[in-house]
Amino acid sequence: MFDGARRRVVSLWFPRLASDRALRARPVAGPFALTLRADNTNRIHCLNPEAERRGLYRGMAFSDARAYCPELLSRLADPMADRRFLTGLRRWATRYCPWVGIEGDDGLVLDITGAAHLAGGEEAMLGDLRQRLCRGGLTVRIGLGDTRGAAWALAHHGEGVAPPGEALAVLGPLPVAGLRLDADSVTALQRLGLRTIAQLAAAARAPLARRFGPGLLMRLDQALGTQPEEISPQAEPPHYGLRMNLPEPIGLQADVMAGTARLLARLCDKLNRQETGARVLCLTLRRIDSQSRHVELRLARPMRDPARILPLFARGIDEVDAGFGIDQLRLEATQVEPLPVEQISHAGPDRQGRVADLITRIGARIGLENVQRFLPADSHIPERSFIIAPAAFSRPETGWNIPCPRPLIIFPPEAIAASGPRPPRHFRWRRMRLTTLRATGPERIAPEWWLDDENWRSGMRDYWRLETTEGRRLWLFHTPQNPGWFVQGEFP
Amino acid sequence: MSPITAFPLRPARVHEACGPLAAALAAVSAAQSGGQILWLREAWRPESINPAGLAAYVDPSRLLLARTGNQTETLAVAEEGLRDGSVPLVVLELTAPLGLTAGRRLQLAAQAGQGTGLCLIPEGMGSPAAETRWHCSPLPDPGSAAGDSTLQRWRLIKNKSGTLGVWDVRWSPSARRLTVVSAARE
């Protein structure tokens, strides 16, 4: 078996990741804490050393903390942003070795096997890591060992380096909590008198396995290297940004379009490989006076066909003021959606695609949310029997269920002078004198009590379809609870 | 061969309709065209087309609405839609009279895209560039079943290539068909 290079693993632990991140953005002097709302109280999520010196600790109720330390400054914690920050750190750490994984919520694990000499040896690499992270304002604890378990134990319990093959000697004096065990097992082991890893390793294995299950011994073996444990590096998310630097500034619209076409071809290649389509594209044109002009293109549906996207850019590029010239083009797909490969139909041209392009072009002029379509809704209230949704973000739906004839045109109710529950014989509407020829109805519609609609405060409505001798066919309603007559629509 | 001259509306041209039931003529044209319909209206107008009522003519899911800020935007979007040719019918609701240039530009766009344009105009605001102009008004219809009457009078009041005329028509929602009741006399 090949035994030329032993595995070497670095574990980084950021004990104050959340507060360090918050303080990097906006430093403050004095005690500082991040609070997180849990179990209906604000509790301290993370705090800086100054606050710890005042006797505050994690998980403490925030009101208690403020009572102990009135000058405590606090902000709200943002675990999602912390996670993104850790992901960024993981990406940064690939400068040392290609295998970097995330450990829990606040740690990284680097497999530096065969990579240490590139940074001038292990000692120099750890020094460099620590120096750069400290310069970035991050508290870090570093452990280096033959296994992930050993490195973790060293990082979390008194930093250090375990020389190759001597894991037990270095880990021995560390407490058993360094084996990544749950709190109950740690307490139970301490009650048995097994306080350090050396004591645990010397104890008989069979009774331990019977008492604690296989998990405890697995952790011990992983730390000492008798059982392997993998580090799973995360795949880089694909980046949809491209740029082109030009030796001489350009200013003609055709030149900018030609440059965009080249970038677009490469971007669409990438989208094609990932089976995704761009939804929002941003073209940044940097001018030689180091100002930038942005052309944003919001597409009505995800696309990755350069020949179809390029003409849609024409209008935006036309409006750009090139100034003294443009020397860099940058194209980025800022919003990307999955777009699986589809069977091309032989039945005629792709009309849906052309309509989507049209929606994109119209949307660029009047706003993509102003191009709409009707969707059916489940309500008897005439105004709510349909939804108007942006066409770019909805699919056409069929299934219109119309039990009674409805007017073609509706408008806000217009009051007419009439009384009684029967439709009036003569009435005036919009300065016209109308005479009823025939009335069909009533159709009673009750307001939806679960939705408070101001227009329906007058109670239920009796709808009538009125035909007049003048020809107009109107949709009237009477509100019996608040007597009154209104015209709301017109039939063809 | 339809008994109504100039209807269905001549393709690749822009037409006009006015009167109380101009929207009904647009709905009938939409029912007789295939594909999607682009319907433009200004966002501030209180009355609106009701999809439940439109369903008697055409499936509302075929309709694309564009809400514009003013008439200039309406015309720009209509020109774009007509020139593109992917929608066979573009309906514009206009609130102000069209100038000579705007009307001609719409005609050229329709010619380029081979689509049909239909402007719904207030009465008496026709533009000289329109191919045809229709006036649609409802008629009382005591003979039909209650709640079923759709009798209306369509008057062709301008026709660039043909004669004028008046027709009384009725729309059958179940058959989705336009029937000419009789050639009305004027």
Side-chain angles (χ1 to χ4, degrees):
Chain A
M1 189 179 139
F2 173 69
D3 198 23
R6 299 188 74 95
R7 279 184 82 192
R8 298 293 281 162
V9 177
V10 172
S11 181
L12 302 179
W13 178 43
F14 305 102
R16 285 188 243 281
L17 182 75
S19 64
D20 283 345
R21 185 189 66 79
L23 289 173
R24 260 164 62 92
R26 267 191 302 156
V28 295
F32 173 80
L34 289 175
T35 62
L36 190 66
R37 197 162 180 82
D39 299 336
N40 220 15
T41 46
N42 275 326
R43 293 191 178 277
I44 290 186
H45 176 64
C46 195
L47 66 180
N48 71 349
E50 179 73 33
E52 262 175 9
R53 271 198 292 281
R54 306 287 179 101
L56 310 185
Y57 54 90
R58 287 179 190 214
M60 187 181 197
F62 180 56
S63 46
D64 291 351
R66 252 196 324 211
Y68 284 130
C69 177
E71 66 271 31
L72 179 67
L73 293 173
S74 73
R75 282 180 218 153
L76 289 179
D78 186 354
M80 294 298 289
D82 294 338
R83 190 73 195 173
R84 284 197 298 275
F85 183 57
L86 190 63
T87 314
L89 279 175
R90 189 204 70 79
R91 187 152 182 261
W92 167 81
T94 50
R95 72 199 303 277
Y96 295 104
C97 65
W99 287 74
V100 186
I102 286 181
E103 178 95 78
D105 288 334
D106 51 2
L108 294 177
V109 53
L110 290 73
D111 188 343
I112 59 162
T113 312
H117 71 278
L118 299 172
E122 286 176 358
E123 208 57 36
M125 176 187 269
L126 295 191
D128 187 54
L129 252 174
R130 189 183 300 277
Q131 194 194 357
R132 284 175 190 273
L133 287 171
C134 287
R135 206 188 300 152
L138 288 167
T139 318
V140 64
R141 304 261 183 279
I142 302 178
L144 170 60
D146 286 347
T147 61
R148 189 174 174 177
W152 193 90
L154 285 167
H156 282 251
H157 296 276
E159 304 173 82
V161 176
E166 292 171 34
L168 190 55
V170 181
L171 293 186
L174 300 185
V176 286
L179 290 177
R180 294 178 281 171
L181 302 175
D182 54 280
D184 289 346
S185 304
V186 172
T187 318
L189 282 171
Q190 282 174 347
R191 290 207 181 120
L192 292 179
L194 300 172
R195 292 177 193 282
T196 63
I197 293 176
Q199 288 170 345
L200 185 66
R205 292 174 69 90
L208 281 176
R210 271 204 299 281
R211 169 91 189 248
F212 293 97
L216 171 68
L217 293 174
M218 182 190 78
R219 286 299 191 199
L220 181 65
D221 291 345
Q222 282 177 346
L224 299 181
T226 42
Q227 193 167 336
E229 185 182 9
E230 76 293 347
I231 293 170
S232 29
Q234 288 183 344
E236 287 289 328
H239 178 66
Y240 301 104
L242 295 165
R243 72 170 167 236
M244 178 193 279
N245 290 305
L246 304 167
E248 288 286 325
I250 58 172
L252 291 178
Q253 194 185 339
D255 296 348
V256 178
M257 286 298 274
T260 312
R262 287 196 198 175
L263 287 178
L264 204 55
R266 280 161 58 200
L267 181 70
C268 290
D269 267 356
K270 195 161 192 177
L271 290 168
N272 220 345
R273 279 199 299 279
Q274 304 286 343
E275 292 208 3
T276 49
R279 194 68 195 248
V280 179
L281 290 160
C282 185
L283 176 69
T284 308
L285 306 171
R286 199 188 66 192
R287 311 196 312 198
I288 50 173
D289 54 0
S290 69
Q291 288 193 22
S292 292
R293 290 289 176 269
H294 302 277
V295 180
E296 199 191 42
L297 181 65
R298 298 173 69 201
L299 299 169
R301 67 172 200 179
M303 287 202 319
R304 55 160 178 259
D305 183 1
R308 273 176 54 201
I309 299 175
L310 187 64
L312 302 176
F313 264 117
R315 182 181 146 79
I317 288 177
D318 184 33
E319 288 173 355
V320 169
D321 174 18
F324 294 107
I326 292 161
D327 65 350
Q328 190 192 62
L329 306 173
R330 187 165 189 288
L331 181 67
E332 189 180 7
T334 46
Q335 198 180 327
V336 168
E337 285 180 12
L339 178 65
V341 178
E342 275 177 17
Q343 174 73 48
I344 296 171
S345 165
H346 61 277
D350 176 20
R351 183 163 254 192
Q352 278 306 315
R354 284 180 61 197
V355 172
D357 288 359
L358 179 65
I359 293 174
T360 303
R361 276 205 301 278
I362 295 175
R365 194 182 288 270
I366 60 171
L368 204 51
E369 61 285 340
N370 282 331
V371 187
Q372 301 162 329
R373 71 167 103 245
F374 290 121
L375 299 179
D378 196 8
S379 172
H380 290 294
I381 307 282
E383 302 93 329
R384 281 206 290 271
S385 63
F386 58 90
I387 307 170
I388 297 183
F393 307 104
S394 59
R395 305 203 141 270
E397 273 180 49
T398 49
W400 291 85
N401 179 23
I402 295 134
C404 301
R406 288 281 180 251
L408 182 60
I409 300 159
I410 54 170
F411 35 81
E414 295 171 8
I416 56 168
S419 59
R422 301 286 305 173
R425 183 104 192 93
H426 302 283
F427 60 98
R428 290 182 73 83
W429 171 68
R430 289 189 181 173
R431 295 190 181 175
M432 283 181 286
R433 214 175 153 68
L434 300 170
T435 308
T436 308
L437 173 71
R438 194 160 57 176
T440 318
E443 177 194 354
R444 176 160 288 189
I445 298 180
E448 294 173 334
W449 52 263
W450 54 94
L451 289 172
D452 186 28
D453 188 346
E454 206 162 302
N455 301 323
W456 282 75
R457 291 262 168 83
S458 54
M460 59 179 109
R461 296 178 177 180
D462 286 340
Y463 276 94
W464 293 79
R465 178 190 151 115
L466 236 66
E467 293 167 42
T468 60
T469 48
E470 287 75 17
R472 307 294 283 259
R473 288 179 277 267
L474 301 175
W475 206 39
L476 277 78
F477 68 85
H478 174 234
T479 46
Q481 290 164 329
N482 274 307
W485 280 89
F486 301 87
V487 185
Q488 210 197 350
E490 188 167 4
F491 288 93
Chain B
M1 175 75 194
S2 164
I4 311 181
T5 54
F7 197 87
L9 300 173
R10 243 169 259 139
R13 305 296 293 165
V14 177
H15 308 262
E16 284 180 351
C18 60
L21 287 187
L25 187 126
V28 174
S29 308
Q32 293 180 348
S33 73
Q36 297 215 313
I37 302 118
L38 182 62
W39 194 297
L40 307 163
R41 62 176 310 120
E42 288 170 37
W44 56 269
R45 300 190 64 178
E47 75 253 32
S48 71
I49 186 118
N50 182 17
L54 191 71
Y57 293 85
V58 56
D59 183 5
S61 63
R62 280 174 50 198
L63 209 66
L64 271 181
L65 296 166
R67 298 190 321 150
T68 57
N70 51 42
Q71 178 139 324
T72 320
E73 270 188 10
T74 309
L75 292 173
V77 172
E79 193 184 3
E80 188 109 44
L82 283 169
R83 196 173 287 282
D84 186 71
S86 54
V87 281
L89 179 66
V90 178
V91 181
L92 311 74
E93 296 190 22
L94 298 180
T95 48
L98 274 191
L100 282 170
T101 321
R104 182 77 190 130
R105 277 185 72 157
L106 281 184
Q107 291 291 4
L108 290 175
Q111 218 163 10
Q114 293 294 305
T116 314
L118 179 60
C119 306
L120 308 186
I121 55 169
E123 240 161 291
M125 282 198 194
S127 85
E131 175 75 15
T132 58
R133 188 174 310 130
W134 298 80
H135 184 277
C136 311
S137 52
L139 286 182
D141 188 9
S144 72
D148 238 14
S149 50
T150 53
L151 191 67
Q152 40 193 293
R153 173 161 292 173
W154 286 7
R155 291 193 290 136
L156 182 57
I157 53 178
K158 177 186 174 183
N159 189 356
K160 271 198 171 176
S161 45
T163 52
L164 306 183
V166 181
W167 296 270
D168 287 355
V169 296
R170 188 175 272 150
W171 174 259
S172 155
S174 51
R176 300 235 168 152
R177 216 163 76 87
L178 190 72
T179 46
V180 178
V181 179
S182 65
R185 236 181 256 170
E186 200 157 68

